[in-house]
Amino acid sequence: MIEPEVKKRISGLKFALLSPDEIRRMSAIKITTADTYDEEGYPIDRGLMDLHLGVIEPGLRCKTCNGTVKECPGHYGHIELAMPVIHIGYVKEIKEILESTCSSCGRIKLKDDELAVYRPILEKTILNGEESLEALDIVRKIISEASARDVCPHCGAEQHKITLDKPTTFRENGKKLSPKEIRERFEKIPDDDLIFLGLNPKSA
């Protein structure tokens, strides 16, 4: 038997985060109620079992693709949060970012000439999605050194100690930081500084 000629080969996979707008565009339905079934056992519209998400009962058809239980692959919806929340899986990274960036201007708490030394290797690896132990060591060093600074070298603002009350409560100098305040701080961080935190602004 002759093997078919391979036209293309996958050279690699790149993982990234979807933006809120991308999630909304790809979503089949916006979920607005936590209920699942009505009194008659029929899926509630915009509930967690909405028929736009697919079907699991024989005799029903998906409102997105019109497929039966055997034909429909399933679709996902989205929930709009009223306020930001802390993702338990990123608590360590959130604390590191809070500690190593300025609470006022959002810059990494190292001077530009200190950062310039590391930029070429980080741009070569992180921006290209490559794995590099050297780059990871550099990011750890930057975060460690920046976290130790108690005055921002860019705007001169005094920095205060960040603590974590597990699982997800952050405090600055004893004062609780709300998820909304943390998000607002992260929005101040310039894209050019993200590689020093090990983040690629093009994919995250």
Side-chain angles (χ1 to χ4, degrees):
M1 181 178 176
I2 300 174
E3 293 291 331
E5 183 182 351
V6 177
K7 298 291 185 182
K8 294 182 180 178
R9 291 187 182 276
I10 297 173
S11 61
L13 294 173
K14 182 177 180 181
F15 295 91
L17 300 177
L18 293 172
S19 72
D21 287 338
E22 288 173 319
I23 292 172
R24 292 186 189 101
R25 284 198 304 269
M26 295 169 68
S27 169
I29 189 79
K30 178 181 177 180
I31 305 300
T32 57
T33 177
D35 295 325
T36 52
Y37 297 99
D38 61 20
E39 294 176 356
E40 298 176 2
Y42 191 81
I44 291 175
D45 287 342
R46 295 193 176 274
L48 297 173
M49 297 299 290
D50 187 293
L51 292 179
H52 287 88
L53 304 175
V55 291
I56 59 173
E57 292 97 359
L60 294 179
R61 284 191 173 270
C62 172
K63 287 188 176 180
T64 297
C65 68
N66 201 39
T68 64
V69 65
K70 290 184 178 180
E71 300 165 341
C72 174
H75 315 277
Y76 68 83
H78 72 282
I79 299 172
E80 295 279 351
L81 299 177
M83 294 289 285
V85 296
I86 299 295
H87 190 306
I88 189 71
Y90 295 108
V91 168
K92 177 176 176 285
E93 288 78 8
I94 291 171
K95 187 171 187 288
E96 288 178 345
I97 295 172
L98 285 172
E99 290 176 330
S100 56
T101 58
C102 175
S103 59
S104 180
C105 71
R107 294 290 313 277
I108 300 279
K109 295 185 295 182
L110 293 179
K111 295 178 181 178
D112 286 331
D113 57 350
E114 293 176 289
L115 295 172
V117 176
Y118 305 119
R119 184 176 291 278
I121 183 65
L122 294 181
E123 286 182 342
K124 181 181 177 184
T125 54
I126 292 173
L127 294 184
N128 290 326
E130 298 176 8
E131 290 290 331
S132 165
L133 291 177
E134 181 185 6
L136 290 174
D137 287 342
I138 289 172
V139 169
R140 289 191 194 100
K141 182 178 180 183
I142 289 172
I143 289 174
S144 175
E145 292 181 1
S147 299
R149 305 282 172 95
D150 53 12
V151 175
C152 175
H154 305 284
C155 70
E158 184 180 356
Q159 307 297 301
H160 301 287
K161 184 175 178 61
I162 300 291
T163 56
L164 170 65
D165 294 343
K166 292 184 177 181
T168 61
T169 300
F170 291 93
R171 296 183 186 278
E172 182 180 49
N173 210 23
K175 176 185 173 292
K176 182 177 178 180
L177 289 172
S178 70
K180 183 173 183 288
E181 290 174 311
I182 293 172
R183 176 177 172 170
E184 288 171 353
R185 282 202 189 181
F186 285 6
E187 288 172 343
K188 294 179 187 178
I189 303 172
D191 280 359
D192 285 348
D193 278 9
L194 290 179
I195 58 170
F196 302 116
L197 297 168
L199 301 172
N200 182 349
K202 295 179 181 178
S203 60

